[in-house]
Structure formats: C-alpha cells, structure tokens
Amino acid sequence: MSETPVTSDTPPAPNGGGEGSGFSTQFKDFLEGARRGDVALALGVIGILVVLIMPMPPMILDFLLALSIIFSVLILMTALFIQSPLEFSSFPTVLLIATMMRLALNLASTRLILSDGHEGTAAAGQVIEAFGNFVMQGNFVIGLIVFAILVLVNFVVITKGSGRIAEVAARFTLDAMPGKQMAIDADLSAGLITEDEARDRRKKLEDESSFFGAMDGASKFVRGDAIAGLLITLINIIGGMVIGMGQQDLTLAQAGHTYTLLTVGDGLVSQIPALVVSTAAGLLVSKAGVTGAADKALSAQLSHYPKALALSAFVMVVMAFLPGIPTLPFMSLAIGAGGLAYIARNQQRERDVAKQAETVTEENAAPAEEPISETLKMDELRIEIGYNLLPLLNDPVKGDQLTEQIKALRRQLASELGFVMPPVRLLDNMQLEANAYVIKVKEVDSGNGKIFPNQLMVMDPQGEQITLPGVHTTEPTFGLPATWIDESLREDANARGYTVVDPATVLATHLTETIKANISDLLSYADVTKLLKDVSTEHRKLVDDMVPGQISVSGIQRVLQMLLEERVSIRDLPTILEGIAEIAGQTADLRAVNEHVRQRLARQLCAQHQAPGGYVPLLTLSPTWEQSFIESFSGTGDDRQLAMAPSRIQEFIAAVKEAYEAAAREGEVPVLLTSAISRPHVRSIVERFRAQTAVMSQAEVHPRARLKTVGAI
C-alpha cells in the first residue's frame, strides 16, 4: 500500500487535528504540569485568593476547613519527626500559606454567617455547626469562655514564647557566624578539611542563619493570625446580632443563640489549626542544638536521670495519702514513675559498663607515646595574627580576603615554580600586638610586620616619602617607605600616581616573598616522591632507570632544592630528570649535577629573566675577576673550594653593588653572567647580600636568546 502525503489542503481528521487537537494537547500539557509541584503550588495559592474574593457554598467550605485541619496536623507531625530544624527549612513559607488559608476560610465563613445566619445553625456548613454544638453544650456563655481561653493560650503563651525563642536564636546565630566561618577557614588553611567540605559547612552555616532569621519573621505571622482570629470573632458576634435583630426580625435570644454558635464554631475551626501550627513553630525553633526526632531526644534526656523519676514517684505517693486527695490516680502514676526509674537505672548501669569496657579497650590499644607524637607535629607554614586583624579572615562586607588570597597564592606558586606549597595555618595570637602578624616557616619566625585592617598602604614608586596624612611606616616585604591612610583618600592617592595596596595584599605579598625565600626548605622527601610518582607514563621508565642505581630520591630532592633556592621553576620535571640522568653516572657531586641541569634549562632561564623589551639584560664579569676566582680555587674535581682573601671578597661585593645601582638608574634588572666554572662560587657570595640576583653561566645562555650587555664588573 502506498502512503498518501498530507498537505495543507487535506481536511483535518474528525477526532484529531484542528482546534480540538490543539486544546487536547494544551490540556495534556496542563495535566503534566499539574503533576509537578510548581503548578500545584501556584494553583493552591490562586485557590486561596479565590476563596478571599468569591462566596463559598457550605459544602465546599466544609471540605476546605477539613483540609486546613489536616494540613496543620501534618505540619505538627513533621516538626516532631525531623532530625534537625534545617530539614524543615521551608517552614516559614508553609506557615505563611497556612495562615493565608485560615484567614481566607475565616472570611468565607464570615460571609456565610452574616448573610445566611438567620436560616439556622447549619448556614455556614456542618463542620462549624458541629464544633459549636460540641463546645457550647447548649450554653453560649461556656462556648465564649472556652474560645477566649484557647485564644489566650495561643496568643499569650505559645505564640509569644515561640516568637521570643526565634528572635533569640536568630540573633545568637548571626553573632556566632564570624567565629564559625573563621574556624572553617582555619581548618581549610591547615589542611584538616577539603575545599568541598569547607563549602558544605559554609552552605550549612548560611542556611542555618537564613532559617532562623526567617523564623523570627514567621513568628509574626502566628501572632498576627491570633489577633485577627479574635477580631473576626468579635465582628461576627456584633455584626450577626445587628443583622439578625435589625434586618431579619429575630429575637435577642434567637440571634444570640444562632450567631454565637456559628461564631464560636467558626473561631474554633480556625483557632485549633492555628494552635497546632503555633505549637509546631515552637517545637521547631526550640529544637536548635538537638539532633534526632523529638521523642528520642526527650526520652534519652529525661530518662538519663533515674533519680528524678524516683523522687517524682515518692512525691506522688506522699500526695496520695493526703486527706481528701484521691488515692487511685496518684498511686497509679507513682507506680508508673517508679517502674520507669527502675528501667532507667538498669539502662544507665549498662551504659556505664559499656563505657568502662570501651575505655579499657582504648587504653590497651593506644600506645603510651601517642600524646608525645602529637606534640612533635609542626606546621610547615603558619601565620599568627593579632586580634585586630581577625576581620581579614571574615569580614561581612569584603569576605574572607586573606584566605582567598592564600588560595590564589598556592595556585600561582604551583604555576610559577612547579611545586604545591604546604597549607597555611592561620591562628590568632593574643600575645601579639593588636595589628601585628608573624609568618613562621616550620615554626621559626621568618617575617613579621604591622597592618591596619580598615586602612590602605600607599607607596611612592620613586621611593619618596608620602605627603598624604597618615601613619608613616616601612613596607614589611621590601623595606620601602610607606604610609597607612584612610580609605577615603584612595582616589587622591591614585591621582598622585601612588601605589595603593589593601592590608590583605600586604600580608599576602610578604607571605609570597617569605615562601620564595624558604621554598627549598619546604620541598620535603614526600613531596619529591609524589612528584616522581605523578610524572608522565613516557618518563616513568627514565625514573626507574635512575633510581636508585645512579641517584637516590634524596639526591633528586637536593638538586630540586638547589634549583628552587635560585627561584628556578621545577615545573619542567621531565627535562630536569633527563639532565640528571645524563650526568648522574659520571659524578657524585650534586653541585655539578645542578650546573648541568641548569644548562639543560637554558631556554627557561633566559625566558624567566627576559626584560619587557624582549632581551636578556646582562652584567658581565670582567676577565680580571674571572681570573681572580679561578686562581682562588683550592682542590680539584668534586673537592674544589673557593679560598679568596676576605679583603678581595669585600672588593668584589662593593663592585657588584655599584654595578647594579648603575643598572637600576637605567631601569634595568640585569643577570650577572660568569663562566661555568666560577658561577656556583659567585652565586654563593652574591646571595648573601642580593638574594634575588640571578647569576647565570655562559653555558646557560640559549643560542636564540636576544642579549643586551648593560655593564661589566
């Protein structure tokens, strides 16, 4: 059979296509959306608005009142069974919806009471009539008193108490946030938790503060609902009496009986769910700090003290024998309390025995030297700060400035030097001055300074003193003259061309230079082992061939440390390993191995010291000084040492300083170029007074590098 193509001229099928098909598709889409929670919630809120505006038949009102009661019971049961308050974080929204639903039903029932109340007590539906008859028992005075007591209990006791708890919980939670966030940042910096765990803890802390803040506002819904219920009741009674006697010609007794019964029934139907929801709110905010369902938490804590149950049983026994007191109820309760005290006492003995057994097991299993081993652990990097610098760790406006900069610093150093520095532990030290800080490397002071959290450090690029008003000081990293100024003077400082630095950046810069100066000490045997383990598969065979036949892991560690001492990146580890493999079998002198590896890194070294103009500025060592160094060598081979006279060394130091000062006046930062044989010895002298000065040999200059000689020594 051939298929007939459908064109635009083909008439629509009787049961498909056209407008009918479009409506069917839209209806299916609506049903599909109704299965989702968002459409159902939107329809529910729209339904509440409809109840507020449109008159409701008594039958529909009965159904909605029953729905309000079961909804409030569901809220209470959920509040009882949850493990922690954050599991019901949507409670403020639910409370608002429940309150709006009750007020809408109040308005709908008020409309029916005032318009059809003269027809009898069933005018507002059977639910309201049943509640009114059950409570009033034929006497409207009793009904009014019972209703008033319910309103007072809800308004004065439960609502006011839960509102106060929510207010205090919100205030204490917000006050405790800075300390908790600082503890999280300290654990993260110390490496005790991962970034994902820290992110989860911060999220939980933010959710907790938002929840209790919302509960503080939600408690006002409950209070307003109680006031509105009382006012609506008074309006119904007074308005019903006026309409019944003035418009419907009812007698005072008829109007009083009918409208009072309807009003009390309506008030009870609305106030009982309100009382239930208020109780749920009180349970939820009072659950802060308690984990587990309410029944388990209460039973565990109340049964934890069997003496209290025993004394309660004794008091009830005494009261049972007092004259005129009924014996049966008090004796029954006394027997029950005594039985619970006996059971709780046995359970406590079992817990004590289990605890003692666990303690004995831990004492037998734990080694005697464990506490001493714990005290031997040290922080490789630590920053101790005074109490005035705590805002750098947690500022409500600026955030965790210092922690974020340390994270960025770790990534930067890993990219520049090829080595992931250890975590930095941040501690507050009350013995330090308020604005002081100390940087420690392996718990040895390696840098210190003073910073002011709410001010800015300003420096003149020319090295001159700052003319703006402030506290004159010295920049802690490079020793340049600087001034601390107020943040309001930032624009003025920028307009004058000054360098403006915030406090967190000052400390982070000092930390960066301290780490670079001590980077070789931070590269441990474990770090080198991990670097070798993570090397690419193509170079794994090279490592296996070298270690331990030609060189040990400790030897590789020392070579890498010597490179880092001169701030040479070890990120290109395969090239470094190839250089070590080429010479390790020929000499055991690690300095000679280091010099050979540097020659293999010639391209990297030239690129590292390249000036903005694309050339490498050089400060060459004259033949006279080269000859002086060569003549001062003593020993041969691996035992070669420098034995230059101290006076001659002082002349060399003065010549180097003078040459570099002249180059600085020309705006150049040159590399000191020497011969390969004298480079290690020249570097050993220069690093003592110019640690950042790069010293390269002629063999380390890449053939394609552009060179510019800016002077000679």
Side-chain angles (χ1 to χ4, degrees), residues 147-169:
F147 173 74
I149 292 174
L150 280 176
V151 172
L152 288 175
V153 168
N154 186 19
F155 180 70
V156 178
V157 181
I158 299 178
T159 302
K160 189 173 183 179
S162 61
R164 180 58 178 167
I165 294 176
E167 179 183 353
V168 173

Side-chain angles (χ1 to χ4, degrees), residues 277-345:
V277 174
S278 301
T279 305
L283 285 172
L284 200 61
V285 296
S286 61
K287 196 178 176 61
V290 180
T291 303
D295 61 326
K296 295 181 180 179
L298 292 176
S299 61
Q301 296 181 14
L302 291 178
S303 63
H304 195 70
Y305 301 97
K307 292 181 180 179
L309 290 171
L311 289 175
S312 300
F314 174 75
V315 171
M316 283 184 282
V317 169
V318 173
M319 293 187 66
F321 289 100
L322 292 177
I325 297 295
T327 304
L328 181 60
F330 284 93
M331 285 300 297
S332 301
L333 293 175
I335 293 172
L340 291 176
Y342 179 77
I343 295 173
R345 178 59 180 169

